Amino acid sequence: MAAEARLAPPPRPISPLKMAARKGRRRCGVRLRAAARSAAKFLAGGGRRRRAARSHGRSPLAGTLRAVAAAGAEPDPRGAPCGRADGHSPPPRALAAPGAAPSPGLPPRAERGRMTELQSALLLRRQLAELNKNPVEGFSAGLIDDNDLYRWEVLIIGPPDTLYEGGVFKAHLTFPKDYPLRPPKMKFITEIWHPNVDKNGDVCISILHEPGEDKYGYEKPEERWLPIHTVETIMISVISMLADPNGDSPANVDAAKEWREDRNGEFKRKVARCVRKSQETAFE
């Protein structure tokens, strides 16, 4: 026995780090067990949080259900999927209380509208500066009011070798706040006789029609408004319209009929009268 005792290896000393780790695990286990007991009491109806919620006449569960209903979602009994590596999922956005601050990634509708308006104003300012710096032959453009970027005035020179040659036609462009997602509206202020301009002066061409499918099937989506269009492309299309009217889809039926049946007669006389009148009133 003495020989065996002499041959047995001495016990290995425990390092201070291992001793601290063992104590930490024991303390952690105590804290976890205490937390579990507290959670069980809370779910059973005990605890100050439950009593405080009842004192305000509502329970946390009812408030959660109301928030879920307001968000248009159904509560998932399995809970939200984990969004982090440590196994704890952040609170789902759908359960945000009504009236709470919106998520930074999804601004409210009013804020999104304000952002769109700022972007459209910036785009219009850039286009105006570009047209002033590099004028395009056939028209000029400017603001009706220096404090309103959404209302423009344009002067269109009648294209050469057409019935509108020599005319100086004034028109207004009114842009929506969500431009360029939607097209502007164009209205001639100077009297003009044209199949694609109604008697009130409103211009009716494909490029200024709302984007998407044509419910009547006359126009293809690519022929209608696209966000890539600018004031320059609009005006080039209008000048082309003056040179080559579209009689198949008229806005002024009487003008379209005269253009088809009596182009060099009554139609030509009415256009010539509009050209003379535009020269007299161009710079009023």
Side-chain angles (χ1 to χ4, degrees):
M1 294 294 295
E4 292 178 358
R6 286 195 298 271
L7 292 175
R12 298 178 63 184
I14 300 176
S15 65
L17 292 177
K18 288 185 177 181
M19 184 64 70
R22 290 180 182 179
K23 291 181 180 180
R25 283 197 295 269
R26 285 197 295 271
R27 286 195 295 269
C28 181
V30 172
R31 285 195 292 267
L32 289 175
R33 287 193 294 273
R37 286 194 297 270
S38 300
K41 289 181 181 180
F42 178 79
L43 294 176
R48 288 175 292 181
R49 294 182 182 177
R50 184 76 176 187
R51 289 195 297 271
R54 285 200 299 267
S55 66
H56 288 82
R58 60 183 181 181
S59 66
L61 179 58
T64 301
L65 292 176
R66 282 194 296 270
V68 171
E74 295 181 1
D76 187 353
R78 298 170 299 175
C82 179
R84 297 190 301 182
D86 59 3
H88 299 284
S89 59
R93 294 179 181 178
L95 300 182
S103 169
L106 185 62
R109 183 177 302 174
E111 185 64 21
R112 290 199 297 271
R114 181 173 177 272
M115 291 168 59
T116 303
E117 183 175 346
L118 291 174
Q119 292 169 353
S120 65
L122 179 61
L123 179 59
L124 289 172
R125 192 184 302 276
R126 288 177 178 174
Q127 292 187 26
L128 181 61
E130 178 64 24
L131 289 173
N132 289 332
K133 182 179 179 181
N134 300 305
V136 180
E137 184 178 358
F139 76 95
S140 62
L143 299 180
I144 297 176
D145 182 350
D146 291 340
N147 297 320
D148 189 354
L149 283 167
Y150 295 92
R151 297 180 66 237
W152 289 35
E153 183 175 89
V154 294
L155 284 178
I156 303 173
I157 307 301
D161 301 324
T162 69
L163 297 179
Y164 300 92
E165 182 177 6
V168 184
F169 301 98
K170 186 184 298 183
H172 288 174
L173 281 170
T174 304
F175 296 87
K177 299 295 184 180
D178 55 354
Y179 172 84
L181 300 180
R182 293 176 54 240
K185 296 186 181 300
M186 184 173 179
K187 183 182 183 70
F188 274 97
I189 305 303
T190 304
E191 181 182 352
I192 187 171
W193 189 251
H194 192 282
N196 303 120
V197 181
D198 68 19
K199 295 179 181 180
N200 294 325
D202 294 325
V203 177
C204 181
I205 56 174
S206 299
I207 195 176
L208 293 180
H209 291 167
E210 292 288 339
E213 297 286 343
D214 179 13
K215 62 181 180 180
Y216 301 109
Y218 292 119
E219 300 169 343
K220 298 178 181 179
E222 58 270 20
E223 296 174 342
R224 297 163 72 89
W225 175 257
L226 296 172
I228 60 173
H229 287 305
T230 63
V231 174
E232 180 178 348
T233 61
I234 293 170
M235 299 312 303
I236 291 175
S237 297
V238 172
I239 293 172
S240 176
M241 176 198 76
L242 294 179
D244 185 18
N246 180 9
D248 295 332
S249 180
N252 186 333
V253 178
D254 295 333
K257 183 179 179 180
E258 291 177 0
W259 181 76
R260 288 193 301 265
E261 300 176 358
D262 193 13
R263 188 174 309 181
N264 294 320
E266 187 64 22
F267 182 80
K268 183 177 181 179
R269 284 193 293 270
K270 289 184 178 179
V271 171
R273 182 177 59 84
C274 291
V275 169
R276 290 194 300 272
K277 189 173 181 180
S278 72
Q279 294 170 345
E280 296 169 358
T281 61
F283 303 101
E284 289 183 353

